Amino acid sequence: MQHFSLDFETTSLIDLRKTGAPRYANDPSTRVLCWAVADLDKPDEISSVVPQYSRPSPDYGFSAAKLPAPEWVELAAQGQAVIHAYNASFEWFILNYVCPRLFRWPSIPATAMRCTLAQARYWGYSGKLDETSRAL
């Protein structure tokens, strides 16, 4: 089983803090600005991708240039990889709502996700990424 660390950066016309991750991920204006992923067997090798988009349509929908699913997405969709993320539920919503809509990627089962925020809270660290990283 392979393990990957993932972080998405996104943008939208709606406010994530006001709507929550499910509504945010389902909004047609939400898109991925970039992501960074690392194979945890090679943590010093971080790859990042900035997808290319066409201009938005009048309803703020975007279309992305053809972007095949990366190997880590295919592996996770097939149950052969685990994706670790701080607040993994957000990454899961982006993977399952935004990426299939924009890039035609396969869905990722929730069982393929591991939340490092939940692990940090379990061990008594702050829920804030910057505070937890400084403490570690």
Side-chain angles (χ1 to χ4, degrees), residues 9 31-36 47-53 64-65 67 103:
E9 297 303 327
R31 63 188 173 117
V32 175
L33 294 175
C34 64
W35 68 83
S47 67
S48 60
V49 175
V50 177
Q52 300 297 309
Y53 294 96
L67 188 61
F103 312 132

Side-chain angles (χ1 to χ4, degrees), residues 87-106:
N87 192 12
S89 63
F90 176 78
E91 263 68 20
W92 184 85
F93 279 111
I94 299 302
L95 279 167
N96 282 283
Y97 293 93
V98 179
C99 294
R101 173 174 48 84
L102 293 175
F103 312 132
R104 305 287 187 246
W105 289 1

